[in-house]
Amino acid sequence: TWGKDQFINPHHLRIDHDGNIWVADFGLHIVQKFTPEGEELMTLGIRGEKGSDERHLNMPTDMAITKSGDIFVTDGYGRGGTQRVVHFTKDGGFVKAFGSAGPKPGQLQIAHAIVVDSQGILYIADRNSGRIQLFNQEGEFLDQWANVLMPWGLSVTDDDHLWVCGSSPHWWYRHGVYPEYKDQLFMRFSTDGRVHQTWTMPLGDIGTNKDMPDTSKLKPGETVGAHCIAQDSKGNVYIGDIYGERAQKFVPISER
């Protein structure tokens, strides 16, 4: 292992086409690039300083790295109306930022995860609005898939199938409270938004306090807060469970 005492709130981890490790740390307001051995190669943003200009990030949640090395960061957890995607060159130079806070197409309400497909299309898990939004790399809105699920984590395969984990659509905030999700699921989409596969997972019991979860009652296959997703070349799917505090591997039971 590496990175002890180096992170505060690491939120998403990605591996680029050259095998480098990228980490978005919303507590430090930075995105970092590492070798697989843990040598730091690049930092985007200024450590410990939040902001929404060309030099700062405001609680970044995720990053997508294209084959050419361009970097797209979802600046998604920041308060004060910051909801944007920040584009950097492969050397870390600021290119542009796009997006704003709101419910309209092209606007964002907690940009929680981002991936890029083989054609360069960006997919953003706009979590609190219950939709996946598509943009080109110039920041132009292309499409949205709404009211299918509350997307938390995204992953894309080499043949451009998009895996998404989350829960059924629900109100994020209503009548002064935050309603809990009633289920856990992950889906596989094609690039036209068609759902090809849906798997449901039992919602586990962690007690009444999510911030201090009692994981002793959790059974294999149960999740509470399916937060991130990845897949391997054999079709196995891996789910990071934020409140269950574990990662699990799911094996397909039929060929697609």
Side-chain angles (χ1 to χ4, degrees):
T1 66
W2 47 265
K4 181 177 173 59
D5 299 325
Q6 189 165 4
F7 309 111
I8 293 180
N9 295 113
H11 188 258
H12 264 111
L13 179 149
R14 301 288 184 183
I15 302 174
D16 69 19
H17 298 278
D18 296 321
N20 299 303
I21 312 298
W22 294 77
V23 179
D25 190 325
F26 69 80
L28 289 173
H29 309 291
I30 57 175
V31 166
Q32 293 170 280
K33 175 184 178 182
F34 300 92
T35 66
E37 294 74 32
E39 178 188 355
E40 185 176 345
L41 301 176
M42 181 189 298
T43 297
L44 302 175
I46 299 177
R47 188 180 184 91
E49 295 183 15
K50 66 179 179 180
S52 301
D53 54 31
E54 298 182 5
R55 299 175 59 242
H56 291 84
L57 296 170
N58 188 356
M59 304 184 76
T61 53
D62 198 8
M63 61 264 114
I65 297 86
T66 69
K67 290 182 179 179
S68 62
D70 285 89
I71 308 153
F72 292 86
V73 176
T74 44
D75 223 8
Y77 270 164
R79 301 298 183 261
T82 299
Q83 285 293 313
R84 62 177 186 161
V85 179
V86 189
H87 179 189
F88 298 93
T89 67
K90 64 179 181 180
D91 299 318
F94 176 86
V95 178
K96 67 183 299 184
F98 59 89
S100 61
K104 298 178 180 178
Q107 294 185 316
L108 301 163
Q109 299 189 95
I110 304 295
H112 195 262
I114 183 171
V115 293
V116 59
D117 70 12
S118 67
Q119 303 304 307
I121 302 301
L122 300 168
Y123 300 77
I124 296 175
D126 190 18
R127 189 188 68 182
N128 287 23
S129 67
R131 58 186 174 168
I132 298 165
Q133 296 200 63
L134 283 63
F135 296 83
N136 64 23
Q137 294 185 25
E138 299 303 314
E140 297 171 333
F141 170 80
L142 302 177
D143 197 4
Q144 66 178 10
W145 309 338
N147 303 313
V148 181
L149 81 165
M150 301 288 285
W152 287 50
L154 302 178
S155 183
V156 65
T157 66
D158 290 339
D159 59 352
D160 287 340
H161 280 257
L162 185 74
W163 283 102
V164 187
C165 67
S167 63
S168 296
H170 64 87
W171 287 98
W172 189 260
Y173 183 78
R174 188 167 173 79
H175 301 314
V177 297
Y178 295 89
E180 289 296 327
Y181 33 73
K182 61 183 180 296
D183 57 19
Q184 300 280 268
L185 53 84
F186 50 100
M187 293 181 174
R188 178 169 60 88
F189 293 82
S190 53
T191 54
D192 60 359
R194 179 185 175 189
V195 177
H196 288 254
Q197 192 170 0
T198 300
W199 287 358
T200 60
M201 299 166 285
L203 182 64
D205 179 9
I206 56 168
T208 58
N209 187 351
K210 292 190 302 183
D211 294 327
M212 298 184 65
D214 176 8
T215 60
S216 63
K217 299 177 183 178
L218 287 178
K219 301 175 182 178
E222 295 179 341
T223 60
V224 188
H227 190 267
C228 54
I229 187 168
Q231 77 294 316
D232 63 22
S233 61
K234 297 179 180 179
N236 301 310
V237 177
Y238 302 80
I239 300 290
D241 181 355
I242 186 171
Y243 298 116
E245 299 179 340
R246 60 183 179 175
Q248 297 184 81
K249 175 182 178 181
F250 293 82
V251 179
I253 58 174
S254 63
E255 297 291 335
R256 75 177 189 212

